Amino acid sequence: MYLNLDAIDAKILFYLQKNAKMPIKEMSEYIHLSESAIHARIRNLEERGCIKNYVAVLNKSMVNKKLTSFTGLQLRTHTQYNLITSMELISKFPEVINCYMVNGDFDFLLHVAVADMQEYHSFFSNALLKVKNIETVKTFFVLDESKADNRIDLSRRSRMRH
Amino acid sequence: MYLNLDAIDAKILFYLQKNAKMPIKEMSEYIHLSESAIHARIRNLEERGCIKNYVAVLNKSMVNKKLTSFTGLQLRTHTQYNLITSMELISKFPEVINCYMVNGDFDFLLHVAVADMQEYHSFFSNALLKVKNIETVKTFFVLDESKADNRIDLSRRSRMRH
DNA sequence: TCTGAAATCGTAATCAC
DNA sequence: GTGATTACGATTTCAGA
């Protein structure tokens, strides 16, 4: 089951998703709650596994990964063995930053980050196409990211507003 | 231009992408470099914008977002105005955790997180289908995530190995 | 369950070399 | 780059609301 988070927990998680190193003092001013209460709640959220971990997010263009894509893969034969072994192999490619098994037109959807088109070509030819049982590959190059921070909205906004 | 990172920087970024709160002392043991040297390098990487920020990553199933999808959208008419305004609107939907403009069969690829299929249905009907100029919507539900940590591999492994 | 204060601890920042 | 020192913020504890 999931945790029942109140409005204060949601606010804490909002700030932590934006800045994991926000001083508790600062957060306590935003939320209008004492530092000790904030601290206790954060520890609670960590202990109950609501917060998975804290990570550094890199600036892709500064680490020479200017080209990203979503790449859909379809396998030829769909045995359990094929799916698992392909997924394991694909996940190990250094260019693949995320690998999802999906339903629909593709079996896998990969999030790929490379330096440039030449590197993508190399990845495509030397890695992807050498995976056994690949039927089709379809690439969606990312042209623009209007939102790409992976933040989960926990405010209880109703769908009715739209 | 991008930064030229040496092997030590790559290692530091590897650990920070895994655990933003790793004590410098621990990292200094792994990398075999003094704490002050590590510290100086981290500050440098931060100041040069290589590290964008530090964030908390939530456990989706613990915050009642058990169902995720990638949803491809195609617009009917492709004026600059349509693209921009649609993107801005779509990015504001609380269910959309990432929104990418892409080439290929779709104009936008959305990363969506909701509680369950009922909530997805509501999002689909009450939000997505009410965006002006939507031609088609194609949903890929995520069945499994074999790699979903968004970590960028900065080790200089050659494609030739595959 | 919260507040506010006080003490402790560990880490990060700074310094001289 | 190293190693030692200083300063800061996080963490724990507690009495009390």
Side-chain angles (χ1 to χ4, degrees):
Chain A
M1 222 356 222
Y2 60 93
L3 301 175
N4 236 330
L5 306 168
D6 65 13
I8 295 173
D9 289 324
K11 280 181 194 169
I12 289 173
L13 293 174
F14 168 80
Y15 288 115
L16 288 179
Q17 284 187 99
K18 205 162 73 170
N19 176 13
K21 301 207 169 180
M22 177 178 286
I24 291 184
K25 187 177 180 177
E26 187 181 345
M27 209 184 291
S28 116
E29 288 164 7
Y30 293 150
I31 301 185
H32 304 297
L33 194 69
S34 74
E35 294 179 39
S36 42
I38 303 256
H39 178 259
R41 278 170 178 267
I42 291 177
R43 207 180 51 171
N44 212 258
L45 290 165
E46 287 170 352
E47 281 172 356
R48 292 193 293 174
C50 180
I51 296 170
K52 199 195 291 174
N53 56 0
Y54 298 96
V55 305
V57 180
L58 306 190
N59 184 336
K60 287 196 190 73
S61 63
M62 293 302 278
V63 296
N64 198 23
K65 302 287 176 185
K66 284 204 173 60
L67 181 62
T68 58
S69 80
F70 284 88
T71 300
L73 295 185
Q74 201 183 359
L75 298 189
R76 212 173 348 250
T77 52
H78 291 87
T79 66
Q80 179 78 357
Y81 176 80
N82 282 348
L83 281 172
I84 303 288
T85 53
S86 300
M87 189 164 76
E88 285 173 354
L89 174 61
I90 292 163
S91 296
K92 283 185 192 139
F93 294 146
E95 296 90 345
V96 173
I97 60 177
N98 299 306
C99 173
Y100 306 93
M101 188 185 285
V102 295
N103 80 334
D105 294 351
F106 305 123
D107 294 307
F108 301 111
L109 195 59
L110 317 182
H111 193 177
V112 178
V114 291
D116 49 31
M117 195 55 84
Q118 184 188 334
E119 201 176 300
Y120 189 85
H121 185 199
S122 168
F123 165 67
F124 182 83
S125 311
N126 300 322
L128 274 193
L129 293 185
K130 295 203 170 141
V131 177
K132 304 285 181 202
N133 279 304
I134 290 283
E135 173 82 31
T136 55
V137 179
K138 195 172 258 186
T139 302
F140 305 94
F141 288 108
V142 173
L143 307 175
D144 193 15
E145 306 187 342
S146 67
K147 183 173 192 301
D149 51 26
N150 254 298
R151 265 180 249 166
I152 296 171
D153 186 327
L154 297 172
S155 62
R156 305 205 179 274
R157 289 191 271 164
S158 167
R159 247 302 109 233
M160 296 308 125
R161 289 196 196 172
H162 297 285
Chain B
M1 222 355 222
Y2 61 92
L3 301 175
N4 238 329
L5 305 169
D6 65 13
I8 294 173
D9 289 323
K11 280 181 195 169
I12 289 173
L13 293 174
F14 168 79
Y15 289 115
L16 288 179
Q17 285 186 100
K18 205 162 71 170
N19 176 13
K21 302 207 170 181
M22 176 176 286
I24 292 185
K25 185 176 181 179
E26 187 181 345
M27 209 185 291
S28 118
E29 288 164 6
Y30 293 150
I31 302 185
H32 304 296
L33 195 69
S34 75
E35 295 179 40
S36 40
I38 303 258
H39 178 259
R41 277 169 178 267
I42 291 177
R43 209 179 51 170
N44 213 259
L45 291 165
E46 288 169 351
E47 281 171 357
R48 292 193 293 174
C50 180
I51 296 170
K52 199 195 294 173
N53 55 1
Y54 298 96
V55 305
V57 180
L58 307 191
N59 184 337
K60 288 198 190 72
S61 63
M62 292 303 277
V63 297
N64 199 22
K65 303 286 177 186
K66 284 204 173 61
L67 181 62
T68 58
S69 80
F70 284 89
T71 301
L73 294 185
Q74 201 181 1
L75 299 188
R76 215 177 341 254
T77 53
H78 292 86
T79 66
Q80 180 77 358
Y81 176 79
N82 282 350
L83 281 173
I84 302 287
T85 52
S86 299
M87 189 164 75
E88 284 173 356
L89 174 61
I90 292 163
S91 296
K92 284 184 192 141
F93 293 146
E95 297 89 345
V96 173
I97 61 177
N98 298 305
C99 173
Y100 306 93
M101 188 185 285
V102 296
N103 79 335
D105 294 350
F106 305 123
D107 294 307
F108 301 111
L109 195 59
L110 317 182
H111 192 176
V112 178
V114 291
D116 49 32
M117 196 54 85
Q118 185 188 335
E119 201 176 299
Y120 189 83
H121 184 199
S122 168
F123 166 67
F124 182 83
S125 311
N126 301 321
L128 274 192
L129 293 186
K130 297 205 168 139
V131 177
K132 303 286 182 201
N133 279 303
I134 291 283
E135 173 83 30
T136 56
V137 179
K138 195 172 258 187
T139 302
F140 304 94
F141 288 108
V142 173
L143 307 175
D144 194 16
E145 305 187 342
S146 68
K147 182 173 191 303
D149 50 26
N150 254 298
R151 267 181 247 164
I152 295 171
D153 187 327
L154 297 171
S155 63
R156 305 206 178 275
R157 288 192 270 166
S158 166
R159 248 304 108 229
M160 295 310 124
R161 288 195 196 171
H162 297 286

